[in-house]
Amino acid sequence: MTEGENVIDEIQKDAESRMKKSLDALHHNFNKIRTGRAHPSILEAVTVDYYGGQVPINQVASVNIEDARTLTVVPWEQQMVPKVEKAIMTAELGLNPASAGNVIRVPMPMLTEETRKGYIKQARQEAENARVAVRNVRRDANGDIKALLKDKDITEDEARQGEDAIQKLTDKVVAEIDKTLESKEHDLMQV
């Protein structure tokens, strides 16, 4: 391997790493979009007042799936039950928890057609943001390659090969984003 190929290889690895982070962020954002099925990640953003500080719900309680449409939240301290219940109610997630003893049940409401369409629109926007992030990574990587070519650190053939490899990587990640979006839309449309 020539020195130019080594540098291009590093640029490709960096681009691949950054594109993967965009894809991971998309998966994380998709987990926040409710599909009508119970999933612990729905409550990830909920914070609870715990001795004067705001902490994530998973630091004061265990969040589990009871059945396909119900989450159970069990605070580790009995006196936290009302605070956890209030935090879930005020989190603007459209959830109405009900406590029985030290267990809080959070039923997932049925999604209306209008709500589903809103969530699909949100999912499409998240996917587009991920595509834009991936394209920005491609632009940065190609800019680095062009700078190397301008400085005569690599040959034109090496630059062309590098840009082709970056484009293939971009196409692969964008296809994965599209596949993930299609899967999320399918989940949202299921009743």
Side-chain angles (χ1 to χ4, degrees):
M1 241 188 186
T2 67
E3 190 177 317
E5 289 172 330
N6 280 338
V7 174
I8 290 174
D9 196 42
E10 286 299 314
I11 291 170
Q12 288 172 342
K13 284 180 183 169
D14 178 57
E16 187 171 9
S17 166
R18 290 172 57 200
M19 287 181 187
K20 186 179 180 327
K21 285 178 185 169
S22 297
L23 198 56
D24 290 345
L26 176 68
H27 287 291
H28 181 74
N29 290 339
F30 274 4
N31 282 341
K32 291 180 182 173
I33 300 175
R34 274 197 303 131
T35 58
R37 288 198 305 268
H39 195 278
S41 65
I42 292 168
L43 298 179
E44 264 181 8
V46 176
T47 58
V48 181
D49 179 30
Y50 187 66
Y51 296 109
Q54 292 293 317
V55 297
I57 194 168
N58 63 2
Q59 291 184 12
V60 295
S62 64
V63 180
N64 297 301
I65 301 171
E66 184 173 286
D67 59 46
R69 304 197 50 77
T70 310
L71 288 174
T72 56
V73 181
V74 183
W76 293 315
E77 298 175 29
Q78 178 68 37
Q79 77 267 19
M80 290 302 297
V81 172
K83 288 183 178 181
V84 171
E85 190 175 5
K86 182 180 181 209
I88 294 170
M89 257 188 261
T90 58
E92 297 183 12
L93 295 171
L95 302 174
N96 291 314
S99 61
N102 64 344
V103 176
I104 303 168
R105 285 188 173 70
V106 185
M108 295 293 123
M110 292 295 288
L111 297 179
T112 63
E113 190 65 27
E114 188 178 313
T115 310
R116 289 176 195 277
K117 287 180 179 170
Y119 284 149
I120 286 175
K121 186 176 180 182
Q122 182 183 348
R124 288 180 178 159
Q125 184 60 50
E126 293 289 354
E128 184 56 30
N129 291 345
R131 283 189 209 102
V132 167
V134 167
R135 288 189 207 112
N136 287 341
V137 171
R138 177 189 61 193
R139 184 197 62 219
D140 293 347
N142 284 343
D144 292 346
I145 290 171
K146 283 186 173 86
L148 289 171
L149 180 62
K150 185 179 176 195
D151 295 342
K152 304 230 184 292
D153 291 335
I154 59 173
T155 66
E156 285 189 27
D157 286 344
E158 288 171 333
R160 197 172 311 105
Q161 288 171 350
E163 287 176 353
D164 288 348
I166 296 290
Q167 184 59 48
K168 284 179 186 164
L169 179 63
T170 303
D171 293 343
K172 182 180 124 194
V173 174
V174 167
E176 210 169 318
I177 289 169
D178 293 342
K179 192 173 115 188
T180 305
L181 174 62
E182 189 179 309
S183 171
K184 187 65 175 182
E185 285 178 345
H186 179 75
D187 282 352
L188 285 167
M189 290 315 292
Q190 285 183 337
V191 179

